[in-house]
Amino acid sequence: MHNATTWLRQDGILVTSALAKKIYLDDANTNVTQFISSRGNEYFCEIDEDYLTDRFNLTGLNTDVQYYQYSLDMVTDVFDLDCDDEMRDQIEKSARHLYGLVHARYITTTRGLAKMLEKYKKGDFGKCPRVDCKSGHLLPTGMADIPNVQFVKLYCAKCEDLYNPKSSRHSTIDGAYFGSSFQNILFQVYPALVPEKSIARYEPKIFGFKVHAAAALQRWQDKRREEMQGRLKIAGLENPFSLPAESADGDMEEDDDDGEGFDGEGMEIGDDAVAQ
């Protein structure tokens, strides 16, 4: 006879309660692990089970996901509904959608950022196709936080531009599964990872000589960039992560300048009106 801390599995193997708990937790992650390891889901990280089972983290998702409870049971691997294949396919589709929406929230947490950072360093999301970015690593991002608006895009922190995924397997992933704030939060938490901005430009040439029109345009753009950098320096915005402390008096002076030469109704005051 065995004590209360010993369990008998169906295969006849006796295990302790601690080992049984571990086996249960391992089995509970089966569906999530299979989802992450499936082709086309390389952009996703694995969500911790304690995060998935905390109802606070799922607030509001019950109205966005069809068959919400069944989908949650399937994600946490406790789904035991006896249903036909068509119904099960619909629940599986909803479960994938639910996982994506929870994923967008999870990757803004400390644990989620750490997991996505590891994938970013390994280049799991791809490399920037722009030549002057020298294969800088990309991050997945959404153009909107609402599902079914736009597919996922890839953000390059070096040229600060967006690109479409190369693979068709990734190009149909909903951008809401990553959200529009993830990449910005990541670089705020890890500012040392912000790469040096790329300002190098392609110079079109013919037999080694610059094309005149393009060269003139480039000189004009470079001049405007230098002027803008000078204005930013004067305004104290050399560091893009710091904001100027504007005083209320400064704001009032700007408002006064904007309103100079106009009356209270927004009409320009002419010389005759001043003479009167």
Side-chain angles (χ1 to χ4, degrees):
M1 187 168 181
H2 303 282
N3 56 32
T5 60
T6 304
W7 297 74
L8 179 64
R9 284 175 46 179
Q10 293 182 353
D11 54 7
I13 301 176
L14 294 175
V15 295
T16 62
S17 58
L19 181 58
K21 182 178 180 181
K22 182 179 184 302
I23 293 173
Y24 171 77
L25 292 176
D26 290 342
D27 291 341
N29 284 329
T30 300
N31 285 340
V32 174
T33 304
Q34 290 179 352
F35 174 79
I36 297 300
S37 59
S38 300
R39 287 173 59 85
N41 295 331
E42 293 84 359
Y43 288 177
F44 294 92
C45 69
E46 185 170 345
I47 303 175
D48 294 334
E49 185 184 0
D50 56 352
Y51 190 91
L52 281 170
T53 54
D54 188 343
R55 295 304 177 99
F56 177 78
N57 301 323
L58 310 178
T59 303
L61 297 182
N62 59 324
T63 59
D64 296 331
V65 180
Q66 190 179 18
Y67 307 116
Y68 170 76
Q69 190 57 53
Y70 292 146
S71 301
L72 181 59
D73 292 344
M74 181 168 288
V75 170
T76 54
D77 205 35
V78 295
F79 180 77
D80 59 355
L81 178 66
D82 186 13
C83 59
D84 56 29
D85 293 341
E86 182 179 355
M87 179 70 171
R88 187 177 182 86
D89 289 342
Q90 293 178 354
I91 295 175
E92 288 180 353
K93 183 178 179 180
S94 296
R96 289 191 294 269
H97 183 54
L98 174 62
Y99 188 90
L101 296 178
V102 179
H103 183 268
R105 300 181 178 186
Y106 177 71
I107 60 177
T108 60
T109 65
T110 303
R111 282 283 297 159
L113 286 170
K115 289 185 178 182
M116 295 296 279
L117 176 61
E118 183 179 353
K119 296 173 72 69
Y120 169 69
K121 287 182 176 180
K122 294 189 297 184
D124 289 351
F125 308 119
K127 299 179 180 179
C128 183
R130 186 172 180 266
V131 174
D132 288 324
C133 286
K134 304 185 185 304
S135 300
H137 291 179
L138 300 171
L139 281 170
T141 184
M143 301 292 289
D145 298 315
I146 303 174
N148 302 320
V149 173
Q150 198 164 23
F151 297 127
V152 67
K153 305 297 179 185
L154 296 174
Y155 170 77
C156 175
K158 206 163 189 178
C159 62
E160 297 183 328
D161 211 344
L162 297 176
Y163 301 91
N164 291 318
K166 287 185 177 181
S167 174
S168 58
R169 299 193 306 270
H170 302 140
S171 60
T172 56
I173 298 176
D174 198 320
Y177 296 165
F178 301 90
S180 59
S181 304
F182 157 65
Q183 76 279 4
N184 300 316
I185 295 176
L186 180 72
F187 288 123
Q188 288 287 332
V189 176
Y190 303 101
L193 294 177
V194 178
E196 184 180 355
K197 305 304 178 186
S198 173
I199 60 174
R201 299 177 57 87
Y202 167 70
E203 298 179 355
K205 297 180 180 180
I206 297 178
F207 300 118
F209 297 97
K210 292 182 180 180
V211 178
H212 176 71
L217 176 61
Q218 181 174 334
R219 286 195 298 271
W220 179 85
Q221 291 175 334
D222 291 341
K223 183 179 180 181
R224 292 296 178 270
R225 182 187 295 111
E226 292 173 359
E227 292 175 353
M228 181 178 293
Q229 290 174 345
R231 292 197 299 270
L232 291 175
K233 185 176 181 180
I234 294 174
L237 288 174
E238 291 181 277
N239 186 350
F241 296 102
S242 64
L243 295 175
E246 295 181 357
S247 63
D249 295 337
D251 295 340
M252 292 295 294
E253 291 176 2
E254 291 180 0
D255 294 339
D256 293 339
D257 293 340
D258 293 340
E260 188 176 357
F262 292 86
D263 64 7
E265 298 180 354
M267 300 295 292
E268 187 173 358
I269 301 175
D271 295 335
D272 296 340
V274 174
Q276 293 177 2

